[in-house]
Structures are given as C-alpha cells and as structure tokens.
Amino acid sequence: MDEVDVSILNTPPDQITDFLNIGGDAVDESTKVFNFKQHVDGVASQVDQLGQKLNGISKFYSSMSRKQGCSVGKDKERHVTSSIKKHQQEAAKRMQELMRQFATILRQLTQHKLAWPFMQPVDVKGLELHDYYEVIDKPMDFSTIKNQMETKDGTGYKNVREIYADVRLVFKNAMTYNEEKSDVHKMAKTLLEKFEEKWSRLLPRVVEEETKRKEEEAEAHRDMQLVQEAANGKLARDISNELYEVDMHLEELREVVVQKCRKMSAEEKRKLGSGLSRLSPEDLSKALEIIAQKNPDFQAGAEEVNIDMDAQSESTLWRLKVLVKDALEVKANSRTKKLVSNNSKRKREICDALAKTAEKRSKKTSKIDPLS
C-alpha cells in the first residue's frame, strides 16, 4: 500500500496559521499558504486513490459473499471452525471402524495354517540369504504390521489402504524372492488370493468413506475461504471508513487555506496569463485540469480554450500561480544547462582548432633548413 504523509492532519484547523509559520509581505504569505495547500491536495489525492482501491476490494469480497449466499461474521467463523472439527472427529471414527473391520480380516489371515512363514521378519542371517536385501527393497511381515496398527505416537497407519498395501507386500516379497515351485511361494500366492477376496468385500465401504471425506474437506475449504474473504472485506471497509474521516479533515484544512489567501491583483492575473502561454503542452494540460476542477463546464480537452482570469476563484488562481512558477523554473534551468553545454562544446572546438593550427606551424618550421 502507498505511504501517505499525514503528519499535518494532527494540526487542528484553528492552529493552522502557526503551523504555516506565515511571515513577510502579503505575496510571500499567500505563496506559503498555497504551497501548504499543494501539500494538502497531494495528500488528498493519495487518500482518494487508496480509498478507490479499498472500495474495489470491499465490493469484491461483498460480491463473493453474496454469490455464496451467506453472511459471514465472528459467529459464523466460530460455527465453521466447530463444524470442521466435528466433521474431522466423525471422519476419524469412521476410519477407526474401517480399520477395526480390516483388523478382523488380518486376524483371520494370520490364523490360517499357511500363515506361519509370514508372522515374523525373515531371518536373513540365520537362513544365510545373502542376496535378500538386493532382491527385496522393503521387507514386511505380519508382526510389523500389527505393531504399526497399535502404535499411538502418530507414526502408525493413517488409513486402511496403507495397511492393505503392506499386507500385499508380505506376499509379494515372498513370491518375488522364492521360486514359483517352492512351498513358500505357493503358500504366499494362496493367502494373497484369500486376502484379495476378503478385501473386495470391504473395498466399497472404503471407497465410500474416501469420497465422503473428500467432499467434507472441500466443503470445509470453501467455508474457511468464505470466512477469510469476509474478514478481508471487513478490514477493507474499516480502512475505507478511516480514510473517509481523513479526507473530511483534509477538506477542513483546504477551507482554512483558502480563507488565508488574499485576492490576486489585476497585474498578477496578467502576468499569470502570460506565464500560462509559455508553458509546455504537458504543463498546460495540468493547468487546464486545475481550472476544470472548479468549473465543471470548462472543456479542458478542447482544441482551443479561452481562460477568463477574472472568472476564476482565488483558490484556482493561486494553484495556477504555483504551477506556472515551478514549471517555468524547471524550463529555465533546462535552458541554462543547455546553454552551458553548448558553450562548453564551442570552447572545446576552438581549443581543438588552435591545437591543430599550432601543430601545423610546428611541422612547417621543422622543414626549413637553417643553412639555406
């Protein structure tokens, strides 16, 4: 956000004269007053720009809330947060129930007469399976799965599909390492088929739970987004209101400044008109905009305009005076720099020409035979 110098806003209108530190003759006094007014106008312009941006933000968030068909406040925020926690708790209970049902399948599987080779980790060292870890990337067994299911430190399984993957891995490892004709391979294949059959009965409930959880998470995300948008909208409106109060105070300061200005003499108006005629097209456009601010019917963009100095307010005249003064000073400084630059260039050319002439004379002198 743009920074705005609002230090002057702490000065009450009735103390504005002291703030301005007016002194000297009437012309200097009015110039100081309008220099101050220029500062006030600059701050006011920045305030207006910020206000427009904030109004746009506020309207955006308000329209978003209307499109969603709800009004969000502190109560709504608490309600949304509470609702999300409730959904999360319910989802956790449903997942626990699925895991309990899966545990029943796993228990039936481990009690099968063919399950004994898979109950504990493979004794790689005792069985002298030197290449086991070269063939198997992730060893797995039922005791490891059981420990993971019972852990309470947060490192255990998060959902049923994780357990399902590890149970399949137990059998896939055995079938990968052992030859197809071996007993262990055949036992693993038989148990895997039985496991897949039981899993297929549980799978529809697992899919249903996953779908429901995704929908609940999406709804929670939308609700939290609405809460955040409403909070941002409220913040924008609050700042906009504060800027409105600042703008009102600036308007008071403008009125005080105008009251401090003396009336411009006819001679000053004539000089001002002459100064306007010497402005660059860009600065002249700025001057016409100043006139248009107090004269709604004034066509600042017309190809030809007539400016009646006597018809302008004192406020407009002094703003034009400040503009013309600054613009012509810049123009004069630019002309002076250009003149100095041209003079320097001319001096360098003269010096170069003198140097060349001296060099030619020196060469001619060296060619003369002193004995001739």
Side-chain angles (χ1 to χ4, degrees):
M1 184 176 291
D2 300 335
E3 293 184 358
V4 180
D5 179 10
V6 293
S7 59
I8 58 173
L9 301 182
N10 296 323
T11 305
D14 57 351
Q15 298 178 14
I16 200 68
T17 304
D18 295 334
F19 182 89
L20 292 171
N21 191 25
I22 294 175
D25 58 24
V27 175
D28 290 339
E29 177 179 323
S30 293
T31 300
K32 288 183 179 181
V33 169
F34 255 86
N35 282 336
F36 174 77
K37 186 179 185 303
Q38 289 291 97
H39 184 58
V40 172
D41 289 339
V43 175
S45 177
Q46 289 179 298
V47 170
D48 290 341
Q49 292 175 9
L50 292 176
Q52 290 173 5
K53 292 179 182 178
L54 285 167
N55 285 335
I57 295 172
S58 180
K59 289 178 181 178
F60 169 76
Y61 284 119
S62 296
S63 65
M64 288 291 291
S65 297
R66 286 196 297 273
K67 287 179 181 178
Q68 296 295 335
C70 65
S71 177
V72 185
K74 285 292 183 180
D75 293 339
K76 179 65 176 179
E77 182 177 355
R78 285 192 290 269
H79 172 72
V80 169
T81 304
S82 176
S83 177
I84 291 175
K85 289 181 179 179
K86 183 179 179 181
H87 285 315
Q88 289 174 340
Q89 292 171 354
E90 291 175 351
K93 288 180 181 179
R94 295 195 303 269
M95 184 56 68
Q96 287 175 359
E97 176 59 23
L98 285 174
M99 295 179 76
R100 187 190 65 77
Q101 294 177 29
F102 190 93
T104 300
I105 296 175
L106 185 60
R107 185 170 60 255
Q108 294 171 354
L109 202 61
T110 57
Q111 290 174 352
H112 195 280
K113 61 182 180 179
L114 301 179
W116 63 267
F118 316 109
M119 297 302 295
Q120 299 295 328
V122 176
D123 186 4
V124 176
K125 187 175 181 181
L127 297 175
E128 297 183 351
L129 306 177
H130 305 297
D131 62 343
Y132 187 80
Y133 294 117
E134 296 176 5
V135 178
I136 303 303
D137 294 329
K138 182 182 177 183
M140 188 55 60
D141 63 279
F142 289 142
S143 66
T144 300
I145 293 173
K146 184 172 181 290
N147 291 335
Q148 279 286 92
M149 291 178 68
E150 294 175 351
T151 185
K152 305 294 184 182
D153 62 359
T155 60
Y157 296 114
K158 302 297 187 297
N159 55 66
V160 176
R161 285 193 184 273
E162 291 182 354
I163 315 175
Y164 164 75
D166 276 355
V167 172
R168 291 189 81 253
L169 186 60
V170 172
F171 302 129
K172 288 293 184 180
N173 284 349
M175 294 168 65
T176 299
Y177 188 78
N178 297 279
E179 295 182 358
E180 191 173 349
K181 295 180 180 180
S182 68
D183 290 339
V184 174
H185 185 102
K186 292 178 181 179
M187 295 164 72
K189 185 176 181 181
T190 300
L191 288 177
L192 178 58
E193 290 174 353
K194 291 182 178 295
F195 170 65
E196 292 289 7
E197 181 183 354
K198 293 179 181 295
W199 168 254
S200 64
R201 298 172 192 162
L202 182 63
L203 184 58
R205 278 174 278 180
V206 174
V207 173
E208 181 184 357
E209 170 57 28
E210 289 173 341
T211 302
K212 189 172 184 178
R213 175 166 288 201
K214 286 181 180 179
E215 291 174 351
E216 289 176 349
E217 288 176 351
E219 182 180 357
H221 177 73
R222 287 194 299 270
D223 288 344
M224 288 305 297
Q225 191 174 20
L226 278 176
V227 169
Q228 186 61 49
E229 288 170 353
N232 291 339
K234 182 179 183 302
L235 177 61
R237 288 191 296 273
D238 290 344
I239 296 177
S240 180
N241 291 336
E242 291 179 10
L243 286 174
Y244 175 76
E245 293 179 2
V246 171
D247 198 36
M248 293 297 291
H249 190 47
L250 283 170
E251 192 60 36
E252 293 178 6
L253 293 177
R254 284 197 192 98
E255 292 300 321
V256 172
V257 168
V258 171
Q259 293 172 9
K260 294 292 179 180
C261 295
R262 65 171 178 79
K263 288 187 177 182
M264 190 175 288
S265 67
E267 178 62 18
E268 287 175 316
K269 291 179 183 179
R270 187 190 65 77
K271 290 181 179 180
L272 178 57
S274 175
L276 287 171
S277 65
R278 287 182 288 153
L279 293 179
S280 66
E282 181 181 356
D283 289 328
L284 183 58
S285 295
K286 294 179 182 178
L288 296 179
E289 288 176 4
I290 291 175
I291 296 173
Q293 288 176 7
K294 293 291 185 179
N295 300 274
D297 297 331
F298 183 77
Q299 300 296 323
E303 293 185 2
E304 183 176 344
V305 294
N306 294 318
I307 303 175
D308 183 0
M309 290 298 181
D310 293 329
Q312 308 306 318
S313 67
E314 293 301 321
S315 171
T316 299
L317 290 173
W318 282 102
R319 290 183 66 185
L320 290 173
K321 180 180 175 65
V322 173
L323 173 67
V324 169
K325 178 177 176 293
D326 293 342
L328 293 182
E329 283 181 357
V330 171
K331 190 173 181 179
N333 291 336
S334 177
R335 187 183 297 109
T336 301
K337 289 181 180 178
K338 186 176 181 180
L339 182 61
V340 170
S341 176
N342 291 338
N343 289 339
S344 298
K345 183 179 179 181
R346 181 57 180 163
K347 286 180 181 179
R348 285 196 300 272
E349 291 175 350
I350 293 173
C351 290
D352 291 342
L354 290 174
K356 289 180 180 179
T357 301
E359 185 178 356
K360 288 179 180 179
R361 288 179 178 175
S362 175
K363 288 181 179 179
K364 287 183 179 180
T365 303
S366 62
K367 290 181 180 180
I368 298 175
D369 186 356
L371 299 177
S372 59

